[in-house]
Amino acid sequence: MFLLLLINVNYLQGFAPASLASKPGNSRAFYAAQNQYERGSIITSDGVTIAASKLSTNSSDNIKYQRYYPKGPEYALVTGYDTIYSQTGIEAAENSLLSGNDSALDVRKVIDLITGKTTKGATVEVTINSKAQDAAWNAMQALGKAGAVVALNPKTGAILAMVSYPSFDPNQLATHDGAQLNKIDSQLLADQAQPLLNRALQGTYPPGSTFKVVTSSSLLTQSPNTTINTNVDSPTQLTLPQTTHVLSNDQGEACGNGSGQAPLITAFAQSCDTTFGKIGMQLGAQALNDMAGKFGMNDANLTVPLPVAKSNYVIPPSQALTAFSAIGQFSDTVTPLQEAMFSAAIANGGTLMKPYLVQQVTASDLSTVQGASQSALSQPVSSSVASSVGQMMLAVVQQPEGTAFAFRQGVTGIQIAGKTGTAETGIVTGLDDAAFTAFAPYANPDIAVGVIIQGGGYGAAAAAPIAVQVIKAYQQAVGNQ
């Protein structure tokens, strides 16, 4: 027994300290960290502080530093929160650096010890642009419906905005009172609006007609002789094989001139379900699945570094259901991040960059501890196919027959290309989900946006105006307007 105790003590002291210190719920580690080092700040790419620490003003508080979030709910799903028990969001993903306990900061800590300076955790700079984030948050608040917005830089993969609504105030969870923390946490968990859910990364919804970006990409890749001006079958009604079900366009409208044939670009701009349902059956479910995967769907390992829910393309068991999957129904599901990734790949000439949220990490002496690593995630389509799909997305917004044409009004000096989606959810809410994916400026894109609004109805009516506001705000921020 003495020998076993000796082995256990040596194991705990020699091998287990790091893992024990990082265990969620280890309040001793939290108290030690809060009293030893001032936790580092989280800032946006343009210098706005979104999480910081200050000396506690509560005389009865035995914790030296108090965490606070200046723009709480707006950035809650980016920063996450740091509590006496655990962390979420960037607070969790970069915890060792923010807390000052990471080995990468050891040299800095020795210098601070020698010079007598107060040791502080590293500062984490996220890729968010505050003006784009403000526009997304204000638009979502004004609409008042659950949903999310994600904006990407298509050339790098940097996340420029990420808003989930409704949200919560992380300041309430930064309390040092355990009983109060448990009470607030229980209230948030019980809230049917799910404010703790990061809908931008963890919410999955049917993409509706935004999936036609994938279907079109597959068609143009599989059939090199097909162009955007090629006439394709576009019946007013499409009888699905081995069923009595008839697929119709929105409100039974005719596609193109009603002849049963329409140029591909016209069918895309009008978002003709019969056209793309038939294209999907001709391509086959496996081809659609392969292309969906290249755009980032069916990837269970994507992180930014926050975990991302898998966007799913499920191979349908029949041709009839393949028609539905080709128009973003059946079992297709996507995150708002995935919606932005659709446009980002097309905007970047067919190369999809891996999304990321952390730009750089700096020590208290401003030396760089960690920098962003940009990398291509995949090559869904060739540059020529990307150009063709981009032209069709431009027609959606710029041409009179385009489903988003009405919402180009008031947008001057910038060409936006996009695709609307209106998705049946199977949930009795009275309204379908609204989706929109877009990029701009068309000639030299520097932003791609994905928006999903739960119960928003038409994508052109609910989701597109929000994307437009984010795009305009970002263009003003970078001096393009």
Side-chain angles (χ1 to χ4, degrees), residues 90 92-98 102-105 122-127 304-306 356-374:
I90 290 298
E94 304 294 339
N95 182 49
S96 63
L97 289 161
L98 287 165
D102 196 280
S103 59
L105 300 174
T123 295
V124 174
E125 179 187 323
V126 293
T127 55
V304 295
L306 310 186
Y356 65 94
L357 187 55
V358 177
Q359 186 62 43
Q360 68 174 359
V361 180
T362 55
S364 56
D365 63 353
L366 302 183
S367 61
T368 301
V369 177
Q370 175 183 307
S373 178
Q374 299 170 12

Side-chain angles (χ1 to χ4, degrees), residues 285 289 297-298 312-317 321 325 329-333:
N289 181 70
M297 297 178 69
N298 296 329
N312 289 299
Y313 180 86
V314 178
I315 294 180
L321 291 175
S325 74
Q329 296 287 175
F330 182 53
S331 295
D332 301 1
T333 57

